[in-house]
Amino acid sequence: AGMYVESVKGECNHGQHAIVFHYADALTACDDHVVYKTGAKEIAAQEGTAITFMAKYDHRGGNSCPIHLPPRGHQDEMVLADDTDPDGLSALGRAFIAGQLAHMREVSLLFAPNINSYKRFVPGSFAPTAIRWGRDNRTCALRLVGHGPSLRLENRAPGGDVNPYLAGAAMVAAGLDGIQQGLELVPALSGNAYQVQTDRLPDNLTTALHLWESSPWVAATFGEEVQQHYANMARIELQAFGEAVTDWERYRGFERL
């Protein structure tokens, strides 16, 4: 299918693997993501088994989808890095990351679109909760990795259930706004982001829906029709879940109530 898998690594949950693709332009990377997931499910079905990309299947580690995004210039040059800066970031790079931080709560619906998505965001897990950035700091929602030409920003918020096209669009839009507004970047966090007082990702779909739906920036950036469409998506998800009787309810209440 023309995809280049750079590495495969076993992870902490049973049968869980991390699949890493070689870098590409945003649209190609999203296409590869979708084709791979579809192909993996079909191959598993042929073998009489199944694969899940649920964000949180059980109490163990969830399925994430970290997105690495280094912006490039008009001539495809690297514009994120500056070796003279203590953090290795250019002024444009600092503003780009500042935009991500400024808008992450508003666009969390595009990183975590389902009820189950928010089960990943557990303090002390491999999934982030704090909206901070740090150099190779996996406790932060945004992790800066690499040096010089390989310097890139990793967004650790999206789960395995993410729509990559929407998540990518959210990151690009937030970064561009940071550049256009000349936003100042807060200092990098070197400690444990789970233990600091700071803004955090929403811990449920209802909050994410409110943040998305009430954001003037989302309306201006994506258009009111898009804003209303994905708000409706979240409402339908919430209504369907509210009407369902779960295994947890049966376990808790079948003989006890």
Side-chain angles (χ1 to χ4, degrees):
M3 296 177 288
Y4 188 99
V5 175
E6 194 168 62
S7 66
V8 178
K9 177 182 177 293
E11 289 290 352
C12 65
N13 209 335
H14 302 301
Q16 187 180 49
H17 292 269
I19 313 298
V20 180
F21 286 100
H22 193 66
Y23 66 86
D25 63 273
L27 184 58
T28 298
C30 292
D31 289 345
D32 286 351
H33 172 113
V34 174
V35 171
Y36 185 91
K37 285 171 73 172
T38 303
K41 290 177 181 179
E42 292 297 323
I43 293 169
Q46 289 175 2
E47 298 300 318
T49 185
I51 289 176
T52 183
F53 293 93
M54 288 177 64
K56 189 78 168 179
Y57 175 71
D58 57 19
H59 66 283
R60 297 173 67 91
N63 290 320
S64 66
C65 180
I67 299 175
H68 290 236
L69 178 60
R72 292 180 180 267
H74 293 295
Q75 306 301 319
D76 203 34
E77 72 273 20
M78 294 298 298
V79 295
L80 189 70
D82 182 351
D83 291 337
T84 65
D85 179 79
D87 294 312
L89 286 167
S90 65
L92 185 147
R94 288 186 167 277
F96 183 84
I97 297 175
Q100 307 291 325
L101 295 171
H103 295 297
M104 182 165 280
R105 279 178 59 81
E106 294 164 279
V107 296
S108 58
L109 180 63
L110 304 187
F111 300 143
N114 302 301
I115 291 281
N116 180 257
S117 306
Y118 296 86
K119 303 293 179 70
R120 275 185 61 240
F121 301 139
V122 177
S125 69
F126 290 109
T129 60
I131 301 178
R132 294 292 296 270
W133 78 281
R135 162 66 78 168
D136 203 15
N137 188 338
R138 295 174 184 269
T139 69
C140 297
L142 299 176
R143 171 176 170 245
L144 193 67
V145 291
H147 300 274
S150 70
L151 189 70
R152 60 202 183 274
L153 181 68
E154 178 191 58
N155 184 345
R156 298 177 58 78
D161 59 342
V162 73
N163 180 324
Y165 302 99
L166 298 181
M171 291 183 67
V172 170
L176 288 178
D177 188 63
I179 293 170
Q180 291 165 359
Q181 300 293 332
L183 298 181
E184 293 289 329
L185 182 63
V186 298
L189 183 70
S190 58
N192 187 342
Y194 295 115
Q195 299 176 347
V196 300
Q197 294 294 322
T198 188
D199 287 340
R200 298 198 175 272
L201 290 160
D203 61 2
N204 61 80
L205 184 59
T206 301
T207 302
L209 166 60
H210 173 72
L211 290 164
W212 168 266
E213 190 174 36
S214 62
S215 168
W217 177 78
V218 166
T221 303
F222 296 96
E224 291 184 2
E225 184 177 1
V226 171
Q227 185 181 40
Q228 293 169 7
H229 176 78
Y230 288 106
N232 184 58
M233 173 199 74
R235 283 200 191 88
I236 291 173
E237 171 86 352
L238 286 164
Q239 180 181 350
F241 183 73
E243 295 172 354
V245 178
T246 66
D247 290 346
W248 183 87
E249 292 168 284
R250 292 192 182 100
Y251 177 79
R252 293 276 290 186
F254 186 82
E255 291 184 328
R256 300 183 189 186
L257 301 180

